[in-house]
Amino acid sequence: MPLQPTPDDIAAAREALVAADPALARVHAQTPAFEWRLRVGGFEGLFRMIVEQQVSVASAASVWARLREGLGEITPQRLLAHDLDQLRGMGLSRQKATYGQGMARAQMAGEIDLEHLSNLDDAAAIAALTALKGVGLWTAEAYLLMCEGRLDVFPGGDVALQEAIRWADGAEDRPDQKAAYARAEVWRPYRAVATHLLWAWYTGVKRGEIVLETPA
């Protein structure tokens, strides 16, 4: 089971981040306490992330509800008990159904153990996840951050995160993935906490709850 960082864990990490990087002081000051975005892990959690990719929140929720109704439990066995056409009938694209069944076969064959991925360190876990067809680097990093509560993974390819970094630094250009990874080095060993902090700040600005001012 993933271990959710406690409010005290997050608060201490936020203080450490500000001490390590003054550019986060404004972000920290403007962003209220937040809870970790912890989601269900294991096969179900990873498959759901695949289902949610490149579709709206509403569409993803609709497809997931149809899958739950059609499959019952979301397990490798249940997924492999249905052919691609049946899965498409539940709202999945053929590509996502194929990816899901490939993940299910890998889990059942012991090529990956999604229920005990926490036994691997971050780098090994990312390598194991990205070896699965359909699981890119962002998906792997986001899974470890949101489904396992890991404190030092960083989804550098996330556009909202890159934009929040640009705001924090008062930069003209948004950093690309390579630059975002380099920028985040100072946030170790709490890069995932910095990610949550910047996401929360970004969301607050977009909702009009936080006024974005250009730093002096």
Side-chain angles (χ1 to χ4, degrees):
M1 291 290 292
L3 296 177
Q4 184 169 10
T6 68
D8 287 346
D9 292 335
I10 297 171
R14 286 177 63 159
E15 293 293 342
L17 286 166
V18 171
D21 185 358
L24 291 183
R26 176 172 58 123
V27 183
H28 173 64
Q30 291 184 318
T31 307
F34 55 80
E35 292 186 357
W36 202 263
R37 294 188 191 180
L38 195 68
R39 300 169 49 142
V40 171
F43 176 81
E44 178 180 342
L46 183 60
F47 181 47
R48 184 163 189 171
M49 294 189 77
I50 297 297
V51 170
E52 292 174 343
Q53 288 178 355
Q54 299 177 324
V55 296
S56 69
V57 173
S59 294
S62 175
V63 172
W64 193 251
R66 291 170 66 185
L67 283 168
R68 278 214 169 275
E69 183 179 353
L71 299 177
E73 249 189 313
I74 308 293
T75 65
Q77 295 84 350
R78 294 287 179 90
L79 202 64
L80 291 172
H82 295 74
D83 62 30
L84 293 179
D85 287 336
Q86 289 174 314
L87 294 174
R88 289 185 66 197
M90 298 176 200
L92 280 181
S93 67
R94 179 171 290 274
Q95 184 180 56
K96 289 183 179 181
T98 300
Y99 289 160
Q101 288 198 331
M103 289 164 40
R105 292 189 187 95
Q107 174 75 10
M108 292 184 68
E111 296 169 10
I112 190 169
D113 185 357
L114 292 167
E115 309 308 321
H116 299 92
L117 202 63
S118 58
N119 293 334
L120 302 179
D121 64 25
D122 294 343
I126 288 172
L129 287 166
T130 54
L132 298 171
K133 191 169 184 179
V135 179
L137 181 58
W138 181 91
T139 302
E141 291 166 335
Y143 174 87
L144 295 178
L145 188 154
M146 292 190 284
C147 296
E148 295 207 342
R150 299 198 187 208
L151 293 177
D152 195 37
V153 289
F154 180 76
D158 188 273
V159 175
L161 182 56
Q162 293 170 357
E163 185 69 356
I165 291 172
R166 183 180 77 82
W167 295 346
D169 289 341
E172 291 188 9
D173 298 321
R174 188 174 70 209
D176 60 15
Q177 180 171 300
K178 182 178 179 180
Y181 282 126
R183 179 67 180 84
E185 281 299 305
V186 70
W187 301 333
R188 290 181 181 271
Y190 298 119
R191 291 182 301 164
V193 180
T195 297
H196 271 81
L197 177 61
L198 288 163
W199 273 342
W201 188 54
Y202 176 89
T203 300
V205 171
K206 287 296 183 180
R207 289 178 176 171
E209 299 164 356
I210 296 172
V211 176
L212 182 62
E213 298 175 352
T214 303

